[in-house]
Amino acid sequence: MPEVLSSGFHGKMGWLEYSIRRSLGLEGPDISEREIGTSQVLPTLQALNDYAGFIPVCLQWIEDL
C-alpha cells in the first residue's frame, strides 16, 4: 500500500485513540470532553471502514495511470 494511504489510516487511528481516551476521561476530567469523545468514536470507526473500502479503488486508479 502506498505510504500516503497508510498515513491516512494512521491519522484516523490516532483520532480514534484520542476519542476513546476522551470518552474514558483519560484526557481531562471535564464531562463535556467525555461526551465529545464518546460522540466521535462511532463516526471515526465508520470513517475507518469507509477508508478501507476506498483503498482498493484508489490503488486501481494508481495502477490505471
Side-chain angles (χ1 to χ4, degrees):
M1 174 183 326
E3 199 169 304
V4 70
L5 296 175
S6 179
S7 178
F9 260 125
H10 180 73
K12 288 171 182 29
M13 290 297 292
W15 183 252
L16 178 61
E17 177 187 14
Y18 177 67
S19 295
I20 290 171
R21 291 181 59 79
R22 283 171 85 182
S23 180
L24 295 173
L26 301 174
E27 291 291 333
D30 189 309
I31 189 69
S32 66
E33 286 296 314
R34 292 183 73 174
E35 291 171 352
I36 292 169
T38 301
S39 74
Q40 291 296 305
V41 171
L42 289 178
T44 304
L45 287 171
Q46 184 61 53
L48 280 161
N49 187 53
D50 293 347
Y51 192 72
F54 167 73
I55 287 176
V57 173
C58 187
L59 291 174
Q60 186 62 51
W61 289 343
I62 291 169
E63 187 177 308
D64 290 347
L65 292 176

